[in-house]
């Protein structure tokens, strides 16, 4: 470990966050005494509790676990998403506890390990999860910190040894600049998180700074077309590493992988959408560069089941499909639409969208309108505020007017299952990064006629 040898107790403020919970699970597996706070008891929080991690929903200082109150040497890990007036946070500051942001902790861990890092405004979660799976399935001793729940392992942490680390590198709050990557990838650099960055150009600068972290003897892979130097990756184009001879068979992609040195044949991928093919090529390129045995990679990729809420089928029969996806940016929504059209040609598609953040809705309103207009029918929920206060005039009513579609309406969360049931669309897709994922089970039951 090195950095945290003298510490016994670790407390996470915001432990239910996807990146925080992976770190909590990691330290818990290494026998630290791990506990934390989260404002809600989500599925993930309840899973942490089941694994033996104490999670409290109270932000009061007196409700802190005994061990943390008594041990001033405890490590406190927090995320930039917590409010600055959080009572426990203020208590730890006042009492001079060792406090580190999640990104700082992750950065320290990567400095002691050979690290493969995947960054990008879209695609990073699927690509890093795929990469971790490829390495684990081909025998590497890998620890992976993921930004989503892997369907293969039902976790956002993979631990099968300590020789190599795979991390999802998060551009939010520029936190990925703390990492020490040996091999890195940048999957996309679209404008996002404008609430933090202000300008698209600053996002580009921040990704270039991340690219510069890769050492001389390392390697940077990037999606073809990005203004970067390194090894380009693409699908049936002029990139350095590409998928070629792409076919679709029984809902799977079949393809060959051509690198600068040679061609590897016989790959198959069960995730729909050209963007996932791009993600697979990136993950394969990184795995090969790391030294994974090429003859085992096709088998490993074929067994990859994906990431929860990334084009996850919850119902998939001849006559009905329910797909759940985390898409919360116009480019992602358009990619989901492309994948649905490819997998379900000629079927009527209903999209349910819960916008995430007032600022993002405001910044990309026109683009959201265009991407949502692609669907046959749209149900729009209220904006999920996350870390924000409302912005005057930025509402779902306002966004609804920008959707050019005669079958569109606003619905409340409670009415959602029935509204979906009333539609004659055969393919239903749930979109958004807020708490809409928690509704999917009810919707599934209603569609399947169970209630």
């Amino acid at each position: 470990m090195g950095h945290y040898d003298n510490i016994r107790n670790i407390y996470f403020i915001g432990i239910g966050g996807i990146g925080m919970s992976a770190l909590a699970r990691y330290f818990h597996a290494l026998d630290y005494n791990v506990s934390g706070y989260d404002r809600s008891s989500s599925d993930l929080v309840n899973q942490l509790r089941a694994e033996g991690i104490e999670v409290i929903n109270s932000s009061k200082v007196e409700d802190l676990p005994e061990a943390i109150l008594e041990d001033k040497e405890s490590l406190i890990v927090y995320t930039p998403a917590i409010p600055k007036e959080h009572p426990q946070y203020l208590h730890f500051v006042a009492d001079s506890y060792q406090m580190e942001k999640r990104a700082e902790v992750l950065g320290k861990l990567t400095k002691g390990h050979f690290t493969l890092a995947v960054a990008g405004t879209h695609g990073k979660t699927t690509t890093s999860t795929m990469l971790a799976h490829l390495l684990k399935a081909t025998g590497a001793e890998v620890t992976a910190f993921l930004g989503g729940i892997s369907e293969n392992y039902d976790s956002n942490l993979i631990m099968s040894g300590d020789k190599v680390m795979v991390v999802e590198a998060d551009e939010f709050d520029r936190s990925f600049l703390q990492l020490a990557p040996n091999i890195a990838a940048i999957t996309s650099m679209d404008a996002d998180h404008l609430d933090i960055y202000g300008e698209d150009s600053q996002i580009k600068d921040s990704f270039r700074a991340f690219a510069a972290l890769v050492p001389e003897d390392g390697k940077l892979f990037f999606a073809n077309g990005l203004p970067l130097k390194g090894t380009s990756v693409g699908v049936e184009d002029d990139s350095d590493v590409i998928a070629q001879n792409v076919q679709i068979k029984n809902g799977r992609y079949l393809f060959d992988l051509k690198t600068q040195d040679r061609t590897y044949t016989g790959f198959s991928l069960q995730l729909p959408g050209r963007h996932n093919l791009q993600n697979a090529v990136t993950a394969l390129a990184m795995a090969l560069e790391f030294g994974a045995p090429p003859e085992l990679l096709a088998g490993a990729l074929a067994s990859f089941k994906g990431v929860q809420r990334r084009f996850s089928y919850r119902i998939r029969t001849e006559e009905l499909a329910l797909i759940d996806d985390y898409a919360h940016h116009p480019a992602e929504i358009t990619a989901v639409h492309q994948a649905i059209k490819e997998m379900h040609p000629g079927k009527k598609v209903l999209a349910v969208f819960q916008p995430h953040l007032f600022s993002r809705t405001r910044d990309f309103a026109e683009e959201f309108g265009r991407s949502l207009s692609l669907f046959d029918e749209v149900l729009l929920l209220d904006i999920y505020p996350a870390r924000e206060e409302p912005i005057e005039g930025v509402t779902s009513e306002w966004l609804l007017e920008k959707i050019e579609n005669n079958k569109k309406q606003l619905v409340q969360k409670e009415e959602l299952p029935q509204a979906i049931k009333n539609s004659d669309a055969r393919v239903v897709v749930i979109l958004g990064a807020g708490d809409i994922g928690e509704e999917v089970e009810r919707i599934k039951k209603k569609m399947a006629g169970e209630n």
Side-chain angles (χ1 to χ4, degrees):
M1 279 304 294
H3 292 292
Y4 302 111
D5 286 347
N6 56 346
I7 284 167
R8 273 299 319 123
N9 298 297
I10 307 182
Y11 186 78
F12 288 81
I13 310 180
I15 197 167
I18 196 74
M20 292 282 273
S21 54
L23 273 180
R25 283 171 154 159
Y26 174 76
F27 285 114
H28 180 65
L30 293 176
D31 281 338
Y32 286 80
N33 177 31
V34 176
S35 55
Y37 156 86
D38 206 89
R39 64 174 186 207
S40 68
S41 289
S42 62
D43 295 346
L44 188 46
V45 165
N46 289 328
Q47 246 177 326
L48 295 178
R49 286 180 176 139
E51 289 161 26
I53 295 172
E54 182 187 352
V55 183
I56 61 173
N57 297 126
S58 162
S59 60
K60 291 190 183 132
V61 174
E62 60 266 31
D63 291 332
L64 282 166
E66 285 296 285
I68 301 297
L69 280 170
E70 288 168 10
D71 176 17
K72 296 279 164 68
E73 305 295 304
S74 300
L75 170 67
I76 310 301
V77 185
Y78 66 101
T79 113
I82 62 156
K84 283 287 164 266
E85 63 278 5
H86 192 283
Q88 291 169 4
Y89 173 83
L90 295 173
H91 167 77
F92 294 132
V93 172
D95 261 7
S96 312
Y97 277 74
Q98 180 179 341
M99 300 181 71
E100 295 182 5
K101 280 188 185 176
R102 176 185 77 91
E104 215 177 317
V105 177
L106 201 53
K108 284 184 179 174
L109 295 179
T110 64
K111 285 183 177 73
H113 294 84
F114 191 90
T115 298
L116 285 72
V118 182
T121 38
H122 323 291
K124 61 178 173 285
T125 301
T126 298
T127 304
S128 51
T129 306
M130 214 181 260
L131 173 60
H133 175 71
L134 292 175
L135 296 187
K136 180 174 159 62
T138 57
E141 294 176 41
V142 59
T143 292
F145 297 96
L146 307 171
I149 306 294
S150 156
E151 296 275 15
N152 289 78
Y153 309 101
D154 199 26
S155 181
N156 51 350
L157 174 74
I158 294 175
M159 265 180 107
S160 65
D162 214 17
K163 288 272 194 312
V164 56
M165 267 188 184
V166 172
V167 297
E168 172 174 331
D170 189 2
E171 77 280 1
F172 176 77
D173 205 31
R174 296 185 176 78
S175 58
F176 60 5
L177 298 183
Q178 314 234 17
L179 301 172
N182 299 81
I183 301 171
I186 295 179
T187 57
S188 58
M189 298 184 345
D190 290 348
D192 198 1
H193 298 305
L194 295 181
D195 53 329
I196 299 287
Y197 282 100
E199 292 293 323
D200 186 25
S201 62
Q202 288 174 284
I203 295 183
K204 301 266 191 295
D205 289 345
S206 147
F207 277 109
R208 274 192 283 269
F210 171 74
L213 298 174
V214 179
E216 284 292 303
D217 59 353
K219 198 148 197 182
L220 174 71
F221 295 95
F222 63 89
N224 195 6
L226 297 181
L228 295 164
K229 290 184 179 63
T231 305
S232 59
V233 177
V235 176
E236 295 183 317
D237 60 12
D238 60 352
S239 305
D240 300 321
V241 184
I242 58 166
Q244 60 178 26
N245 305 326
V246 178
Q247 301 165 35
I248 296 182
K249 208 167 184 179
N250 302 331
R252 277 180 172 270
Y253 284 113
L254 305 180
F255 66 98
D256 298 331
L257 183 79
K258 182 173 176 290
T259 67
Q260 284 155 303
D261 313 316
R262 52 169 293 195
T263 298
Y264 303 90
T265 57
F267 288 96
S268 96
L269 173 70
Q270 61 175 321
L271 304 191
R274 298 288 277 202
H275 59 295
N276 280 320
L277 203 45
Q278 171 83 19
N279 293 338
V281 176
T282 309
L284 287 166
M286 293 178 82
L288 282 168
E289 179 65 26
F290 168 70
E295 67 280 3
L296 300 179
L297 283 172
L301 185 66
S303 68
F304 181 68
K305 293 183 191 155
V307 180
Q308 280 179 22
R309 303 217 58 227
R310 302 301 195 283
F311 213 96
S312 302
Y313 278 101
R314 303 299 299 271
I315 297 176
R316 190 178 193 176
T317 63
E318 280 301 301
E319 54 279 346
L320 206 57
L322 172 62
I323 299 158
D324 183 24
D325 196 279
Y326 179 78
H328 54 285
H329 184 285
E332 295 166 344
I333 294 173
T334 303
V336 167
H337 180 265
Q338 181 273 326
I340 291 176
K341 283 294 170 210
E342 200 170 60
M343 292 297 153
H344 303 277
K347 293 267 175 80
K348 194 167 184 185
V349 187
L350 162 68
V352 179
F353 181 52
Q354 179 189 45
H356 185 264
L357 297 181
F358 296 102
S359 61
R360 191 185 284 124
T361 305
R362 176 198 62 201
D363 293 343
F364 298 104
E366 304 302 324
E367 292 89 338
F368 276 124
R370 279 199 293 278
S371 59
L372 290 166
S373 301
L374 295 167
F375 297 91
D376 301 301
E377 226 176 289
V378 179
L379 295 176
L380 198 58
L381 292 172
D382 284 332
I383 298 170
Y384 182 77
R387 51 185 181 267
E388 292 185 332
E389 295 299 315
I391 296 172
E392 201 177 334
V394 179
T395 62
S396 286
E397 285 83 349
W398 175 68
L399 180 59
L400 191 75
E401 287 174 19
K402 301 190 178 297
I403 301 171
E404 292 174 23
N405 188 322
N406 49 11
K407 296 194 86 173
K408 58 177 185 179
Q409 65 179 61
L410 290 180
V411 288
Q412 293 305 309
K413 233 184 315 185
E414 313 56 85
E415 312 158 357
L416 199 49
Q418 189 57 47
I420 292 171
K421 185 88 175 158
N422 294 344
S423 166
D424 61 349
R426 298 296 81 194
V427 179
V428 176
V429 59
I430 309 291
L431 302 166
D435 56 6
I436 189 171
E438 314 259 328
E439 303 298 312
V440 175
E441 209 44 48
R442 288 193 10 238
I443 293 166
K444 181 180 168 176
K445 287 195 168 111
K446 190 83 174 173
M447 284 176 70
E450 289 172 34
N451 61 1

